[in-house]
Amino acid sequence: MAERFISSALLALGLGVTAWMGYPDTVEASEDWRADDLWTINGSVSGVIGDYDDSNTRGSFYGSGLKMSFDYLDRGGFTLGYNYTHVDFKDGQGRDLDQAAYYASGRLQARPDGARGTVIFRMDTHLVDNDDITGTSDGAYAVAPIIGFYNYDKSLYLDLGLTRSFYMNDFRLMQLTPTVGFGFNEGSDWLQLRGFLIDSNNRSRSQGEEFTAALDIKYSHWFAPGNLLKIDQVSLGGLVGDRIHAVDPDAASMTNLSDVQTGSASISGSWRLGDVTNLTVLGGGDFYENVPAKDSYRSTYFFLNLSREW
């Protein structure tokens, strides 16, 4: 299983590293050319704390993450990520869980004649490793190719992702994620709608659900520089419908625990700390149901992310 993930990760990295390499059209080969003029690096660290409200089994959780992205002009790039999560269970309801999640993604961008925009080819890979005593959530991995399109003025975005997720004992899921995004108000506002259509090959491993469908809605507003609160962006998010074992391409996350997510709501704000550093603060709540245990609960969380660009 690990060998399959490593192969997929190497493929994703290969896509990024070879993304339209060579001199770009706008840069001539000369003695003044430097590689660091062509590559942009973005690194981020994050932390999260939260509680499981009204859960019969789970108590609280915390985690941390690290992500590095490398982009070669507007031709392509690759991203590597790591997240650690600790889940506390209530007394007598299970052993505490420690989990590591690994992420690798590669992307290519092209502007074909007549397309009137940019076509994006992306490949994401995920692997999770934990000490789940049941073994049902350990060693899960996913492969997620995505094709997307931005028009030239970035007022329209479309993509389609197809994800295959693999778990122990031949449990598999297939996820389709159609997405549409709209920019308006001269680029100050953005609305994105992403569907999650997930099919399971084993209902007994997916809370009795063979198929789940959900819609993720996200609205973002960018503020003019020099505003009173010095804030750069505010986003509101929400999820309606049901989804299980979802793989989220925006959050670069794979949900390997088996409870059904029945909704979510969140708000975030971002501040620029100088020219190359950004701070994001996010708070929200996710709603879940463990159908066999008849356990409906909410996870509330507070998330911080600090990023810097080179």
Side-chain angles (χ1 to χ4, degrees):
M1 180 173 294
E3 290 80 1
R4 296 182 190 176
F5 172 78
I6 291 170
S7 298
S8 300
L10 290 174
L11 173 61
L13 293 179
L15 284 173
V17 172
T18 60
W20 296 82
M21 296 300 293
Y23 295 118
D25 297 336
T26 57
V27 178
E28 295 181 358
S30 69
E31 295 179 356
D32 296 330
W33 175 85
R34 297 188 309 159
D36 57 3
D37 292 329
L38 307 181
W39 286 92
T40 300
I41 303 173
N42 187 286
S44 67
V45 292
S46 60
V48 63
I49 57 173
D51 285 301
Y52 294 106
D53 302 319
D54 301 321
S55 173
N56 296 329
T57 58
R58 300 183 186 181
S60 61
F61 63 94
Y62 60 85
S64 59
L66 174 66
K67 185 185 293 184
M68 295 293 296
S69 291
F70 305 82
D71 287 282
Y72 181 77
L73 292 179
D74 57 356
R75 305 295 185 88
F78 62 95
T79 299
L80 298 173
Y82 167 81
N83 276 280
Y84 166 78
T85 304
H86 176 86
V87 179
D88 286 317
F89 285 80
K90 294 183 176 179
D91 291 342
Q93 298 299 319
R95 189 181 69 185
D96 294 348
L97 180 73
D98 290 289
Q99 176 169 292
Y102 305 91
Y103 170 76
S105 174
R107 53 198 171 273
L108 293 169
Q109 298 180 179
R111 295 182 174 85
D113 294 339
R116 299 185 179 182
T118 302
V119 179
I120 304 165
F121 302 94
R122 174 175 157 185
M123 173 69 81
D124 293 354
T125 55
H126 301 261
L127 173 67
V128 294
D129 178 51
N130 63 35
D131 57 1
D132 179 4
I133 58 174
T134 70
T136 57
S137 65
D138 184 25
Y141 66 98
V143 179
I146 303 169
I147 183 169
F149 171 80
Y150 263 120
N151 64 351
Y152 281 132
D153 63 3
K154 294 190 176 181
S155 61
L156 174 66
Y157 173 74
L158 304 168
D159 79 26
L160 183 64
L162 179 64
T163 303
R164 295 300 305 273
S165 302
F166 303 87
Y167 292 78
M168 293 288 190
N169 300 320
D170 202 34
F171 176 42
R172 302 183 306 277
L173 300 103
M174 183 170 65
Q175 172 183 297
L176 193 66
T177 51
T179 307
V180 58
F182 303 97
F184 55 98
N185 193 20
E186 297 182 347
S188 296
D189 296 276
W190 184 262
L191 177 65
Q192 177 178 288
L193 307 174
R194 169 169 280 141
F196 286 83
L197 309 174
I198 304 174
D199 184 74
S200 164
N201 77 330
N202 188 337
R203 294 179 60 178
S204 66
R205 294 282 300 275
S206 54
Q207 303 273 312
E209 301 285 351
E210 182 177 353
F211 176 80
T212 59
L215 178 65
D216 182 73
I217 306 167
K218 190 175 297 179
Y219 164 73
S220 300
H221 175 75
W222 282 263
F223 293 87
N227 63 84
L228 181 62
L229 298 178
K230 307 298 182 182
I231 192 168
D232 183 48
Q233 176 196 7
V234 167
S235 294
L236 301 174
L239 180 85
V240 293
D242 295 341
R243 68 179 187 180
I244 190 167
H245 291 301
V247 176
D248 190 329
D250 284 339
S253 65
M254 178 181 184
T255 305
N256 60 312
L257 301 180
S258 60
D259 293 353
V260 180
Q261 185 177 9
T262 58
S264 73
S266 66
I267 182 171
S268 68
S270 297
W271 288 263
R272 286 203 172 273
L273 310 178
D275 294 333
V276 295
T277 305
N278 191 77
L279 173 68
T280 299
V281 178
L282 183 148
D286 296 332
F287 300 88
Y288 293 94
E289 182 179 9
N290 185 314
V291 178
K294 298 181 180 179
D295 185 16
S296 297
Y297 61 93
R298 179 180 72 251
S299 72
T300 55
Y301 57 87
F302 179 73
F303 173 88
L304 285 175
N305 184 86
L306 184 66
S307 64
R308 189 184 191 282
E309 186 176 286
W310 292 268

